[in-house]
Amino acid sequence: KMEWLQGIADSLGGKPDGIAPLQNTYYCLYKLEHNVKTTSSGSLKFLVEETPLVVISTDLSPEQEKVLNLRKYLLQKIEVGIAHREGSLGMLSTVVYTTKVVTPTCFYALLSVDEEDEQGNTYVKDEFLLCLIVTAENHCLDIFLNDLKRFAADIEDLIREGYIQFFSNEYMDDVEDEEVEVKDTSKSQALQLNELVASQCKGLLSRWYSICVEYMRRVIELLGDELPVLLHSALMGKIVDIKPHPCDEDLSRFIDTVRLSEPEPELEIEYNADDDELVDPEFEDDTVIISPGNANTEYSMINTTETNQFCTEWSQDLQAVKDNPVQIKNDIDQRKEKIAQELVHLHKLINQAKLDHYALYAAYRELKENKNQDVLLVLLLKDGQNDTDTKEVLAVIYNYTREKDFVEDEEIGSDQL
């Protein structure tokens, strides 16, 4: 056993008294090259298909790749058909150091490029395998799965752009141009294509952890006191227009992480037209505009100040843990889960309220006392847009809440006088 441990240490360039640990994150982009070879057994010959992985871009050394058994692990996933475009999480081979044992976590996704000519005939069809690795202890890569899938789609788009560029006449003319020194025309076309894909993707791949995980910290720091407004706009499902800025992609990811529903241009609320006493629930449905360039000026970055107590308190909690992306993501997921549970409970009360006045009052009290009242009401209205009875019940609750708020404001004003 000790010889086995020492062998691993030696393979990593370590010493008997300790080995240098792996860095926290790695990436590797492979290209799948399906080859058919002929093998023989006695007088019989067989055709065997092999799927070697050709490295396109990575920050792993060959020794590190070997210690992690990365190729073997990924090839096994391909052989059993587990590697797919949606992406999956897995555990790589345990790495043993003299002071600790580390089991790296990885995300892997199968990417494909299909290019067709004007007649619709496919002239190239290649597959790539993306692998993103975290070796840090106690890192919950699974909670960032949606961000990783989005990143994999971005890499696939970059690869596709590289293929389009390569097979365009303009690029091929450049390759044949003697004045272009950066391209070696003696290299095979496949090698040139691989190099182009690598140059397209390397910059993004090297920043994968920052893009997929650390974006939330940057957004929290950027918005500061305006964070409650963004949280509220995202929960309300408003359309958000983000002006060009180095952090615009971070803002887009953060909004998608917080959202509970797809954004809609406006919320139409209709009820029984015979009841003239009811007033339409009114909510701001204008597009929210974020101008991150105003961060260092006296002007607000967001063109609205609408928020609520729930989002204000939530913002304070996020500010307190902004340096820990895992805690931030857990906090967001827990808040969204709480809202989902409240919606389920309110849906039951509203369905009962169609026939039961006590349930109507119970639903009113639930919404009235909730710090996230306006968000819940909007989400309930969206869910019940095709149910006239539900919309009428919600309109009654909204109007009664509105009247009570007006009476309370009048009483507070009288006391102050």
Side-chain angles (χ1 to χ4, degrees):
K1 184 176 181 181
M2 290 303 298
E3 292 178 356
W4 174 72
L5 292 176
Q6 186 59 52
I8 294 180
D10 292 341
S11 67
L12 280 171
K15 299 178 180 179
D17 57 347
I19 57 176
L22 292 164
Q23 64 186 46
N24 288 335
T25 64
Y26 291 96
Y27 70 86
C28 198
L29 178 65
Y30 295 102
K31 184 177 182 180
L32 279 64
E33 294 193 351
H34 300 277
N35 299 321
V36 177
K37 292 186 176 182
T38 303
T39 62
S40 59
S41 176
S43 59
L44 299 176
K45 291 186 177 181
F46 303 92
L47 292 178
V48 179
E49 183 177 8
E50 294 183 345
T51 310
L53 297 176
V54 177
V55 176
I56 301 299
S57 183
T58 185
D59 57 355
L60 278 168
S61 69
E63 293 76 16
Q64 291 167 333
E65 183 188 30
K66 183 177 180 181
V67 168
L68 294 173
N69 285 323
L70 187 57
R71 287 174 183 259
K72 180 180 179 181
Y73 175 84
L74 294 175
L75 284 172
Q76 288 175 344
K77 301 300 180 184
I78 294 171
E79 288 173 2
V80 297
I82 297 178
H84 48 77
R85 295 189 72 243
E86 288 298 313
S88 301
L89 293 170
M91 307 293 287
L92 298 176
S93 298
T94 299
V95 182
V96 181
Y97 301 105
T98 54
T99 57
K100 63 180 179 180
V101 176
V102 177
T103 303
T105 304
C106 76
F107 166 83
Y108 58 93
L110 192 64
L111 314 178
S112 61
V113 178
D114 299 327
E115 293 301 329
E116 298 179 348
D117 56 24
E118 296 179 355
Q119 287 73 39
N121 300 315
T122 301
Y123 62 84
V124 60
K125 183 175 182 179
D126 286 333
E127 290 182 313
F128 295 81
L129 193 59
L130 172 66
C131 187
L132 308 174
I133 304 167
V134 169
T135 62
E137 296 179 83
N138 303 320
H139 194 287
C140 306
L141 200 60
D142 57 311
I143 64 176
F144 298 98
L145 186 57
N146 288 334
D147 297 295
L148 294 168
K149 290 180 178 180
R150 177 172 176 170
F151 181 81
D154 291 341
I155 293 296
E156 188 174 57
D157 289 341
L158 277 180
I159 296 173
R160 186 171 291 108
E161 289 176 12
Y163 268 63
I164 293 173
Q165 179 184 350
F166 185 83
F167 287 103
S168 67
N169 292 331
E170 179 181 353
Y171 182 87
M172 295 310 294
D173 289 343
D174 288 343
V175 171
E176 296 171 0
D177 190 344
E178 295 180 355
E179 297 179 359
V180 179
E181 299 179 358
V182 294
K183 299 182 177 69
D184 184 355
T185 55
S186 65
K187 296 179 181 178
S188 68
Q189 189 182 67
L191 184 56
Q192 291 176 21
L193 179 57
N194 291 350
E195 290 179 348
L196 177 61
V197 170
S199 65
Q200 290 274 101
C201 300
K202 185 176 181 180
L204 203 63
L205 287 169
S206 63
R207 296 184 291 112
W208 77 265
Y209 187 82
S210 175
I211 293 171
C212 297
V213 177
E214 296 181 336
Y215 67 94
M216 292 180 288
R217 172 184 56 79
R218 291 192 292 271
V219 170
I220 293 172
E221 291 178 346
L222 175 69
L223 292 180
D225 295 338
E226 292 187 271
L227 180 59
V229 179
L230 181 63
L231 293 171
H232 186 263
S233 298
L235 290 179
M236 292 283 274
K238 293 187 177 182
I239 296 174
V240 181
D241 179 15
I242 305 170
K243 299 304 180 183
H245 185 270
C247 286
D248 54 7
E249 187 63 27
D250 291 340
L251 285 163
S252 176
R253 288 178 181 273
F254 187 86
I255 291 167
D256 288 344
T257 299
V258 174
R259 279 199 199 284
L260 292 163
S261 61
E262 290 300 315
E264 297 181 16
E266 61 180 87
L267 183 64
E268 296 182 3
I269 300 123
E270 298 177 358
Y271 49 85
N272 190 344
D274 296 333
D275 193 340
D276 296 330
E277 296 182 0
L278 291 181
V279 178
D280 273 346
E282 297 177 355
F283 301 99
E284 289 186 25
D285 56 17
D286 295 334
T287 297
V288 175
I289 300 175
I290 304 179
S291 304
N294 290 339
N296 298 321
T297 70
E298 60 184 77
Y299 301 102
S300 298
M301 282 182 284
I302 307 178
N303 69 329
T304 180
T305 58
E306 185 184 8
T307 189
N308 59 27
Q309 188 177 350
F310 175 85
C311 292
T312 299
E313 294 177 0
W314 186 9
S315 172
Q316 293 170 353
D317 291 343
L318 293 177
Q319 292 281 5
V321 296
K322 65 180 181 181
D323 293 326
N324 189 323
V326 173
Q327 287 188 18
I328 295 173
K329 188 62 167 61
N330 282 332
D331 187 284
I332 291 174
D333 290 343
Q334 289 168 8
R335 297 269 182 168
K336 290 171 67 176
E337 179 64 26
K338 179 184 178 183
I339 294 172
Q341 292 172 354
E342 290 173 339
L343 285 172
V344 170
H345 178 59
L346 285 167
H347 272 301
K348 292 179 180 178
L349 289 176
I350 289 167
N351 286 331
Q352 295 172 9
K354 297 173 185 178
L355 303 172
D356 183 356
H357 289 292
Y358 176 78
L360 177 62
Y361 179 74
Y364 156 74
R365 293 301 304 176
E366 288 279 349
L367 281 168
K368 175 66 177 175
E369 297 172 1
N370 197 296
K371 298 176 183 179
N372 202 24
Q373 174 194 134
D374 55 343
V375 169
L376 291 173
L377 188 54
V378 164
L379 293 174
L380 289 168
L381 286 165
K382 286 182 178 181
D383 290 343
Q385 281 191 82
N386 298 321
D387 187 334
T388 303
D389 292 337
T390 296
K391 286 189 288 188
E392 189 165 351
V393 168
L394 291 170
V396 170
I397 293 173
Y398 170 79
N399 278 262
Y400 191 67
T401 303
R402 191 166 167 266
E403 291 174 7
K404 295 292 288 183
D405 288 341
F406 177 77
V407 171
E408 290 175 3
D409 290 342
E410 287 288 305
E411 292 175 350
I412 292 173
S414 299
D415 292 342
Q416 290 176 344
L417 292 174

